[in-house]
Amino acid sequence: MKLLIYFVILFFGISAQSFGQEDVEKKSPPVGNAVVGDYYGADVSSASENKAISIMELNDVLDKDKVVKNVSVKGVVTDVCKKRGCWITLKADNGSSVFVKMKEYAFFVPIALKGKSVVLEGDAEKEVTSVDELKHYAKDAKKAQAVIDAIVSPKEEIKFLASGIKVAN
């Protein structure tokens, strides 16, 4: 009986340690230099890269259709979640931005992706982001408290759910 109790305690101790290690690994973005050709999530094919549209073109499409499925978009990364690498933002020529999350949190990206040109594959929609959610993302980005406090109204923006992200030239 003592042997059985010992094995049960040992099993739960090992399981708790394993789960604890997974939590630590998920709390920081992956490492890497994000060089041209690197991809995160599903690989983005050359055909998708060639047919990728700009953020401005995506905005025009979304003015007609509120949701666009399986679209390829190109842009420059302006910010990366510093907490886990679980979201990025892209800039548009008109100064607006696109907020990108990873589909089902199946993958994350390194902070080194900031400033790089990328091609995304996934689904896009226009949506209003609440003040609470905007503040949450600002905290994830480790923005100054003054910046977080200045967020007082919701924001309509393009949201993109990426199945794959590839570093372009």
Side-chain angles (χ1 to χ4, degrees), residues 122-165:
D123 304 330
E125 67 180 317
K126 276 195 176 177
E127 187 177 291
V128 175
T129 306
S130 71
V131 170
D132 288 342
E133 194 173 352
L134 290 169
K135 287 184 177 197
H136 170 81
Y137 295 133
K139 287 178 187 174
D140 281 355
K142 300 189 183 207
K143 301 286 184 187
Q145 190 60 46
V147 172
I148 295 168
D149 293 341
I151 300 170
V152 294
S153 59
K155 176 181 174 185
E156 182 179 52
E157 61 187 341
I158 297 173
K159 290 196 174 181
F160 198 94
L161 191 58
S163 56
I165 299 173

Side-chain angles (χ1 to χ4, degrees), residues 91-119:
K91 71 175 179 179
D93 294 336
N94 68 358
S96 65
S97 63
V98 173
F99 185 78
V100 181
K101 281 186 176 179
M102 298 12 160
K103 187 175 184 178
E104 299 172 357
Y105 287 99
F107 63 98
F108 302 105
V109 298
I111 293 173
L113 199 61
K114 185 174 180 175
K116 308 284 175 126
S117 294
V118 295
V119 175

Side-chain angles (χ1 to χ4, degrees), residues 6-99:
Y6 175 76
F7 282 118
V8 169
I9 291 171
L10 181 65
F11 173 77
F12 283 113
I14 291 172
S15 296
Q17 184 179 9
S18 297
F19 290 124
Q21 182 64 28
E22 286 177 21
D23 287 345
V24 169
E25 291 171 0
K26 290 181 181 179
K27 287 187 179 178
S28 58
V31 295
N33 293 327
V35 296
V36 173
D38 284 355
Y39 67 91
Y40 308 93
D43 190 7
V44 177
S45 69
S46 296
S48 291
E49 282 187 77
N50 292 335
K51 69 177 184 178
I53 61 175
S54 71
I55 294 168
M56 295 304 294
E57 291 170 307
L58 177 63
N59 190 49
D60 292 344
V61 171
L62 287 171
D63 282 341
K64 298 173 192 156
D65 303 317
K66 293 299 176 196
V67 177
V68 180
K69 301 280 186 182
N70 300 317
V71 65
S72 298
V73 177
K74 57 188 169 190
V76 176
V77 178
T78 57
D79 207 358
V80 177
C81 173
K82 292 170 181 61
K83 190 173 182 180
R84 293 190 302 176
C86 59
W87 56 259
I88 62 173
T89 55
L90 303 178
K91 71 175 179 179
D93 294 336
N94 68 358
S96 65
S97 63
V98 173
F99 185 78

